[in-house]
Each structure stands twice: as C-alpha cells, then as structure tokens.
Amino acid sequence: MKMIIAIVQDHDSQRLADRLAKNDFRSTKLATTGGFLRAGNTTFLCGVRDERVDELLTLIDDTCGNREQTVAPVTPMGGNADSYIPYPVEVEVGGATVFVLPIEQFERF
C-alpha cells in the first residue's frame, strides 16, 4: 500500500478530482498555498494499492499540465527585500508535485 500526496495548482484541481472519482481512486482534498507564488494549490491524499500506483501517477501527469503565466510579485511586508523582484515575471506553473510514501497499515472505518 502507498500514500500518494499530489500537490496541484487550483486550476487543475477540479478536473483531477473528477478523473480520480471516475477511475475509482478515493482521495481527500486539502486547500493549500504555495510559497513562491503565494497562489492557491490543492493537495490530494490517496491511499492506493501497490499495483495501481503507476495508473494513478499517469492519471495525474495527464491531467495536470505545465503552462507559462506572467505574475506580479508580492511586495515584501517587513521581510527581507533582498530577493524582491519589482516587475512582472513569466514563470512556469501547473504540473504536480507528487510524493509516494510506503504505508504500513491502512484502515477505513
């Protein structure tokens, strides 16, 4: 058994949730915030049998694509301004950050 933790951009979260349900993957969905862009993310937690891990990873990869986006930086408030960039920058957003963790025991009540 594995625990899959997938952090995706909010833009992709509903589509991923729909595809997870359609393919019989149960998940818990958490609202999270990214550190760099301070933008909304969604974190999915999925308990998966070992033989379905590759299927789930493929589904996440197919659903959560990368794209370019121009963002205006957030002005630092009382923090360190050394790394502050005062003009809009183009960054790659989307995709998914996925962790696959071994699970010793899984119970559903």
Side-chain angles (χ1 to χ4, degrees):
M1 192 68 148
K2 300 286 191 257
M3 169 65 75
I4 306 295
I5 302 172
I7 304 164
V8 303
Q9 191 179 33
D10 278 346
H11 178 83
D12 298 319
S13 68
Q14 189 57 53
R15 198 164 30 123
L16 181 58
D18 292 343
R19 291 193 67 196
L20 290 172
K22 181 179 177 183
N23 289 279
D24 295 322
F25 288 106
R26 294 180 181 225
S27 65
T28 298
K29 189 171 140 178
L30 306 171
T32 54
T33 303
F36 176 63
L37 298 176
R38 299 191 199 312
N41 291 327
T42 301
T43 300
F44 289 88
L45 307 175
C46 302
V48 182
R49 292 187 317 265
D50 289 338
E51 59 271 11
R52 294 198 72 198
V53 169
D54 288 337
E55 178 185 354
L56 177 55
L57 294 176
T58 299
L59 189 144
I60 294 168
D61 186 33
D62 291 346
T63 306
C64 304
N66 290 336
R67 57 200 159 273
E68 295 290 320
Q69 179 177 326
T70 301
V71 297
V74 177
T75 305
M77 298 285 291
N80 186 352
D82 292 342
S83 62
Y84 176 65
I85 303 169
Y87 50 86
V89 293
E90 193 161 295
V91 296
E92 186 175 293
V93 298
T97 300
V98 180
F99 299 91
V100 180
L101 307 170
I103 299 298
E104 187 173 311
Q105 185 173 343
F106 176 79
E107 302 290 338
R108 186 175 304 148
F109 301 105

